[in-house]
Amino acid sequence: MFHKILKSGCKAEDSKLRTAERLANLMAVFCILSWRVLWLTMLNRIAPDASPKLALTDTEIALLDRLISGASHRRCRPGTLAFYLTKLARLGGYLARAGDPPPGNVVIWRGLSRLTDIELGAEIAAAGNVGN
């Protein structure tokens, strides 16, 4: 699964880097991202009632609360890891219908990618560097 995330999610083979040093640096970042996606997916399945602070930062939790409102999934208790990872997956296209299985690597990957972009935008806006 890690290799699939690295190959399909990160699109590691599509990089156009020509030096070994640059490729090694890119692969190091991709390995960290792939590990986090796989870890979030598996953690959601083995410890759904854990604290969301186990896997998400306070900023990520606050952004998810602002971005995804309402009940994210009927089987998830509010305030749990599963609740917030379902919100994250909804950013990635997960529908959270009653009969849907837990979110998988693809929707976690897409949700994490979107959340990271939103978080960077929020940091830039908070710094007051927008439009200057």
Side-chain angles (χ1 to χ4, degrees):
M1 289 310 285
F2 175 80
H3 182 263
K4 180 181 177 185
I5 297 166
L6 186 63
K7 187 173 178 180
S8 300
C10 295
K11 298 189 185 336
E13 293 176 339
D14 292 348
S15 71
K16 304 292 184 207
L17 300 176
R18 301 208 183 263
T19 66
E21 182 182 352
R22 289 178 181 172
L23 188 57
N25 289 340
L26 180 67
M27 291 306 295
V29 171
F30 282 171
C31 283
I32 293 167
L33 290 171
S34 298
W35 170 83
R36 187 169 187 212
V37 169
L38 180 64
W39 181 64
L40 288 171
T41 304
M42 294 300 117
L43 192 59
N44 188 34
R45 294 179 184 175
I46 62 170
D49 291 329
S51 168
K53 292 186 179 198
L54 180 67
L56 301 169
T57 65
D58 290 334
T59 304
E60 290 170 332
I61 291 169
L63 283 171
L64 286 170
D65 281 337
R66 290 194 68 189
L67 293 168
I68 308 292
S69 61
S72 74
H73 202 288
R74 291 188 178 114
R75 292 180 291 192
C76 301
R77 287 184 318 144
T80 63
L81 179 66
F83 181 77
Y84 282 98
L85 289 183
T86 300
K87 284 185 172 201
L88 179 68
R90 286 183 63 194
L91 278 178
Y94 182 66
L95 298 176
R97 297 174 295 206
D100 286 347
N105 294 320
V106 174
V107 292
I108 293 288
W109 169 262
R110 285 188 295 217
L112 189 60
S113 177
R114 281 194 72 199
L115 185 63
T116 301
D117 290 345
I118 293 166
E119 187 174 1
L120 288 172
E123 287 177 13
I124 291 169
N129 296 331
V130 179
N132 293 337

